[in-house]
Amino acid sequence: MTTLAASPPAPLHLSDEEMARVSQLLYRLTGMTFGANKRYYIERRIAARMAKTAMSDVRAYLARAAGGAEAEALINAFTVNETYFYREEHQLAALSNTILPEIIRGKRPGDLIRLWSMPCSTGEEPYSIAIWLLENWPLVDAYNIEIVGSDIDTAAIAAATAGLFNGRSLAKLPPEVLAAYFEPEQRHRRKIIDDLRESVRFTATNLVDPASVAAQGKFDVILCRNLLIYFDDASRAAAAANMHAALNPGGFLCLGHSESMARISDRFTLARLDDAIVYRKA
């Protein structure tokens, strides 16, 4: 029996007014900006969602996507999930060499240390943190370490929870690490072992929503890498305020290598470590 592939959605050409409506909706839902230079990208994804929901009128679709399940599906369609294990390894080195030794100066053995990866995409970053600490921080078993991975993309959260990864995601991991923390390859993917998979908790979170961030509790370290570049000034300021509120006093914030808090907020102090430049809550 021959199985026919699904036909691609018909091309969609949004008017300037419709483009503005889409951009405003996405901004309200995510804090991310999508301008006219992203027209083709936007039209393809809106066309795909309209085909999925069997809708032909743009305005009617946008009304439906303003909330509920379709708002979630629309967010998932527009998020970017580019990641892999041991990405920006220098920050992981800073975590084990400097940040955690500084954090535990105010804690006792057995105390809780909370680390937050936001956005966590499909899980490579928070699992990398867990693996790195097991491999590189001798005191990892002396403290109660909780790693939370969060993302606005619920499909990415589901993939992270499943813990299945392809060769591209795993390419930077040493062979001995692959052998220790992943099951044998099946159908070109490897599953992270259950003990490690269960050591990371995943949640859906919107970084520009104060209530959504507050629900995650307080953290000693936040890794928020390569997200602020998608925000405008107002969304960056909101995200910075929410992360500041989510950090314990003296907590650390790690941004992507091309990101800076300098023009966003004066609530953080720049910390130049041997391995990385990070920010700290006073």
Side-chain angles (χ1 to χ4, degrees):
M1 178 179 177
T2 301
T3 302
L4 298 177
S7 300
L12 179 68
H13 301 287
L14 298 173
S15 68
D16 290 345
E17 180 187 354
E18 290 167 341
M19 272 288 298
R21 285 174 176 262
V22 173
S23 297
Q24 289 166 6
L25 176 59
L26 289 168
Y27 185 77
R28 180 176 65 79
L29 293 174
T30 69
M32 294 188 290
T33 56
F34 294 89
N37 61 320
K38 300 282 189 178
R39 177 180 290 273
Y40 179 66
Y41 177 88
I42 292 170
E43 288 177 339
R44 284 186 61 191
R45 280 154 180 77
I46 293 294
R49 289 308 313 161
M50 289 177 65
K52 190 76 172 178
T53 54
M55 300 186 72
S56 57
D57 182 80
V58 174
R59 292 192 179 189
Y61 171 75
L62 294 179
R64 177 171 177 175
E70 188 52 33
E72 180 179 308
L74 183 64
I75 290 169
N76 294 353
F78 275 86
T79 50
V80 178
N81 296 308
E82 170 62 29
T83 187
Y84 49 86
F85 279 87
Y86 279 17
R87 188 181 190 185
E88 299 197 24
E89 191 173 320
H90 63 284
Q91 283 191 352
L92 296 175
L95 185 64
S96 57
N97 292 337
T98 308
I99 294 174
L100 287 177
E102 180 64 23
I103 292 292
I104 64 172
R105 290 177 61 186
K107 296 183 182 289
R108 299 176 181 177
D111 280 354
L112 179 65
I113 298 173
R114 300 192 76 225
L115 313 176
W116 192 26
S117 170
M118 170 68 199
C120 71
S121 187
T122 46
E124 286 88 337
E125 180 173 287
Y127 288 133
S128 289
I129 295 169
I131 293 170
W132 182 270
L133 295 185
L134 287 168
E135 291 290 305
N136 296 282
W137 196 43
L139 296 178
V140 65
D141 292 323
Y143 293 87
N144 179 14
I145 298 175
E146 181 181 1
I147 301 171
V148 179
S150 300
D151 204 284
I152 197 171
D153 185 337
T154 55
I157 290 293
T161 303
L164 286 164
F165 301 98
N166 61 28
R168 186 177 183 279
S169 289
L170 303 169
K172 286 193 68 176
L173 291 178
E176 63 273 16
V177 169
L178 278 173
Y181 300 105
F182 293 83
E183 296 178 3
E185 181 178 311
Q186 291 187 359
R187 297 181 180 178
H188 306 293
R189 296 196 296 176
R190 298 185 69 155
K191 184 176 182 180
I192 204 159
I193 60 172
D194 287 344
D195 283 351
L196 195 63
R197 187 164 55 88
E198 293 167 3
S199 71
V200 179
R201 182 168 63 88
F202 291 99
T203 67
T205 309
N206 185 341
L207 190 59
V208 297
D209 179 1
S212 182
V213 173
Q216 308 311 314
K218 298 284 189 176
F219 294 91
D220 297 292
V221 184
I222 298 175
L223 294 96
C224 179
R225 306 193 293 198
N226 307 309
L227 174 61
L228 299 183
I229 56 176
Y230 296 101
F231 289 169
D232 66 358
D233 289 344
S235 294
R236 290 188 190 109
N242 292 338
M243 289 190 289
H244 186 270
L247 276 173
N248 288 323
F252 288 83
L253 170 64
C254 302
L255 299 179
H257 71 276
S258 64
E259 298 172 309
S260 170
M261 192 57 69
R263 297 184 179 180
I264 301 174
S265 173
D266 59 3
R267 303 185 187 201
F268 298 90
T269 301
L270 182 70
R272 297 182 182 274
L273 310 181
D274 290 341
D275 300 292
I277 296 175
V278 300
Y279 297 87
R280 195 168 189 188
K281 180 174 179 176

